[in-house]
Amino acid sequence: MIVDRADAYRVTELLDGLAGLLTDTVAGGASIGFLAPLDHAEAADWWRERAAAVAAGRLAVWVARERERVTGTVSLALPDKPNSRHRAELVKLMVSREARGRGLGRRLLTTAEEAAAAAGLTLLHLDTETGSPAERLYRSAGWTRAGTIPDYAADPRGELRPTTLYFKQVGVPAAAGAVAG
């Protein structure tokens, strides 16, 4: 299993695999912002927009591959305001259904946390569907629950579900810069 930082070109190069991962994740019931069924072309368009955000320095993306097949990804959404340059939002941690249960989610999470700390970021935050397997992962990795918001987002079936907010302090205070790969 290889986990690499993907620049905008690499995101575009892996577009089909990333879109397949996104559609698989939604089909598996993960509440990551999309309703089922998610069309492959729509998923590819969404990833094209992410490539532009990577090129602009607003998003850092890591991709896990097994024998060139995309099996997971995680991203950090980087702040654009001077008063928040010390933090980032962990977004779209996805593991394909066939790769679950082998520690890949933990590896992707650790990769993003370590890269954030190496870049001088000191605070990460995220939201996840309350009661989801992802919530168990974050708690076991030392993330702190900040609270729950009822009826926050629709799950893939369209049912409103609560979300739980988490944060984690990482690294040591330093001048904020680009996330190291």
Side-chain angles (χ1 to χ4, degrees):
M1 182 77 54
I2 298 169
V3 176
D4 289 319
R5 171 93 181 259
D7 61 14
Y9 175 79
R10 188 71 172 141
V11 170
T12 302
E13 187 177 65
L14 294 171
L15 195 63
D16 188 58
L18 288 165
L21 174 64
L22 179 56
T23 58
D24 175 70
T25 303
V26 172
S31 182
I32 55 172
F34 299 89
L35 298 175
L38 178 62
D39 179 73
H40 189 85
E42 182 182 350
D45 288 343
W46 184 85
W47 274 108
R48 275 188 201 89
E49 292 173 9
R50 302 296 73 79
V54 169
R58 295 186 315 269
L59 187 69
V61 175
W62 290 267
V63 177
R65 292 175 294 115
E66 188 170 355
R67 290 184 220 90
E68 296 307 309
R69 187 166 196 277
V70 174
T71 54
T73 187
V74 67
S75 299
L76 289 176
L78 305 169
D80 61 354
K81 297 174 190 69
N83 73 341
S84 59
R85 303 244 186 245
H86 64 289
R87 69 176 188 233
E89 181 179 7
L90 188 106
V91 295
K92 303 299 185 258
L93 174 57
M94 293 182 259
V95 174
S96 68
R97 288 183 282 180
E98 69 183 32
R100 291 182 189 160
R102 299 186 310 200
L104 180 55
R106 172 78 56 157
R107 183 170 173 195
L108 287 163
L109 183 58
T110 299
T111 297
E113 292 172 355
E114 290 175 353
L121 299 174
T122 58
L123 181 65
L124 297 176
H125 63 96
L126 62 84
D127 71 86
T128 192
E129 182 180 346
T130 304
S132 69
E135 188 175 20
R136 289 189 297 277
L137 170 65
Y138 300 130
R139 279 195 315 260
S140 72
W143 286 69
T144 301
R145 181 182 178 276
T148 300
I149 303 171
D151 296 338
Y152 184 77
D155 67 12
R157 294 178 313 276
E159 296 176 23
L160 290 179
R161 303 280 301 142
T163 195
T164 302
L165 307 174
Y166 284 89
F167 69 91
K168 187 172 186 178
Q169 294 180 305
V170 297
V172 295
V179 173

